[in-house]
Amino acid sequence: MSDFEEDFPKHLAHWLCSERLGRCVIAKKELASTNTLLAQMAESGMQEGLVVVADAQTGGMGRNGRTWFSPPGKNLYFSLLLRPDCKPGVVPQLAIVAALSLHDVVCRLCPGKKVGVKWPNDLLCEDAKLSGILCTMSCTGANVDYAVVGIGVNVNMAANEFPEDVKATSLQILGNGTWDRAFVLAEFLSAFEADYHSWLKRGNLASFIPRWNECSCLEGQYVEVEQGRELASGVVESITEEGHLRLRDASGKIALACAGDAHIRKR
Ligand code: BTN
């Protein structure tokens, strides 16, 4: 067993305040992707709250077929198993809830830094990416068997350690210090546990909209969102309680973007 596999669970247990999330953890020195192992564990019947965390990923997956840069010894790459009692159509909202929980944690750890959320679920500081979330699910008919919330957070990377074509930042760059990755994960799990329960009770994002609007990087910006062959565009006017991006075009017509990447454009 590597140092990471032995030490990370001990450190996490030391910091953990959440009741159920993260009480069972599988730590691996290297994985192709934490999302893939977590989905296998879910298929084998593991309970909600299981966390799979890796020191490095060889095939870290990002949204829309992209890869996630996952070198060893630096960052957090983890996946959380959830078994929400909800319809499949609302599961993508979990990524938005997770982005807000993580945003709260980062703002506490790095006070004074202007960190924002970018729809659907990125954390950015001055246009540089701090974190990304990839949420997947498995369903039987209209029932959700499980959801996988996979999160990558750049923690202890120096600016010159990112590939040249990646515009990214890290907690270290924002806060001038190195962080115990297990502490950061424990903080996220307790923040997310509270948000997850309030989302489950409500069944939509209504109570999260004010929080989202307060820290959204896109509010008031003119954006284009590619959705398959269609292009939705307009000025961003909040998210909806379903997690869609509400856009108003020049004629005042409202369009909703349901998925995809939002690109800020000049009007
Ligand atoms: C994005 O494109 O912004 C989403 C990135 C998600 C990366 C995380 S790292 C942990 C988990 N395992 C993966 O393979 N991907 C997610």
Side-chain angles (χ1 to χ4, degrees):
M1 199 186 272
S2 73
D3 287 352
F4 181 84
E5 292 176 6
E6 208 167 334
D7 294 345
F8 194 96
K10 285 187 204 152
H11 287 215
L12 183 64
H14 173 76
W15 295 114
L16 206 61
C17 295
S18 49
E19 258 174 50
R20 295 186 56 215
L21 305 186
R23 292 285 155 190
C24 182
V25 57
I26 297 173
K28 295 284 181 195
K29 185 173 157 50
E30 187 179 278
L31 283 174
S33 159
T34 56
N35 273 24
T36 309
L37 181 60
L38 190 86
Q40 286 164 8
M41 293 291 138
E43 295 288 345
S44 75
M46 293 297 285
Q47 281 188 356
E48 172 162 285
L50 171 70
V51 167
V52 169
V53 59
D55 185 42
Q57 296 184 119
T58 52
M61 298 184 291
R63 289 175 49 246
N64 299 330
R66 292 185 288 258
T67 55
W68 187 256
F69 181 58
S70 310
K74 295 283 173 181
N75 303 317
L76 256 179
Y77 321 111
F78 68 95
S79 302
L80 171 64
L81 173 58
L82 299 174
R83 295 192 183 272
D85 182 10
C86 66
K87 296 280 170 252
V90 302
V91 168
Q93 293 177 19
L94 282 169
I96 289 182
V97 176
L100 284 173
S101 310
L102 189 59
H103 178 263
D104 282 4
V105 170
V106 169
C107 289
R108 260 190 286 122
L109 301 185
C110 306
K113 298 291 169 182
K114 211 171 162 354
V115 177
V117 289
K118 179 169 177 259
W119 183 86
N121 47 46
D122 290 342
L123 253 60
L124 303 181
C125 184
E126 285 166 6
D127 249 9
K129 190 146 159 167
L130 178 65
S131 164
I133 300 178
L134 180 64
C135 189
T136 62
M137 71 179 126
S138 168
C139 311
T140 308
N143 296 317
V144 175
D145 299 324
Y146 62 86
V148 175
V149 179
I151 304 187
V153 188
N154 297 323
V155 180
N156 293 323
M157 294 282 283
N160 62 6
E161 290 175 314
F162 289 107
E164 267 177 23
D165 57 338
V166 172
K167 190 157 188 214
T169 188
S170 71
L171 291 180
Q172 173 174 306
I173 296 167
L174 296 184
N176 281 330
T178 55
W179 294 92
D180 177 344
R181 290 175 285 172
F183 169 73
V184 178
L185 176 56
E187 289 288 300
F188 167 77
L189 291 170
S190 72
F192 180 70
E193 193 167 74
D195 287 334
Y196 176 51
H197 288 301
S198 86
W199 177 79
L200 279 176
K201 253 194 228 156
R202 186 83 186 227
N204 63 40
L205 293 169
S207 61
F208 294 91
I209 292 175
R211 248 167 94 187
W212 180 273
N213 289 342
E214 209 168 293
C215 59
S216 163
C217 315
L218 297 180
E219 274 319 281
Q221 301 272 12
Y222 181 80
V223 303
E224 287 180 349
V225 184
E226 261 177 55
Q227 311 198 87
R229 286 191 195 159
E230 307 239 313
L231 189 72
S233 61
V235 175
V236 175
E237 280 199 353
S238 174
I239 52 165
T240 66
E241 56 187 46
E242 292 81 26
H244 302 153
L245 197 61
R246 211 178 125 89
L247 306 172
R248 186 182 291 273
D249 75 11
S251 68
K253 213 172 96 215
I254 296 292
L256 294 178
C258 307
D261 292 315
H263 301 284
I264 298 177
R265 303 279 188 236
K266 284 206 177 94
R267 259 175 280 188

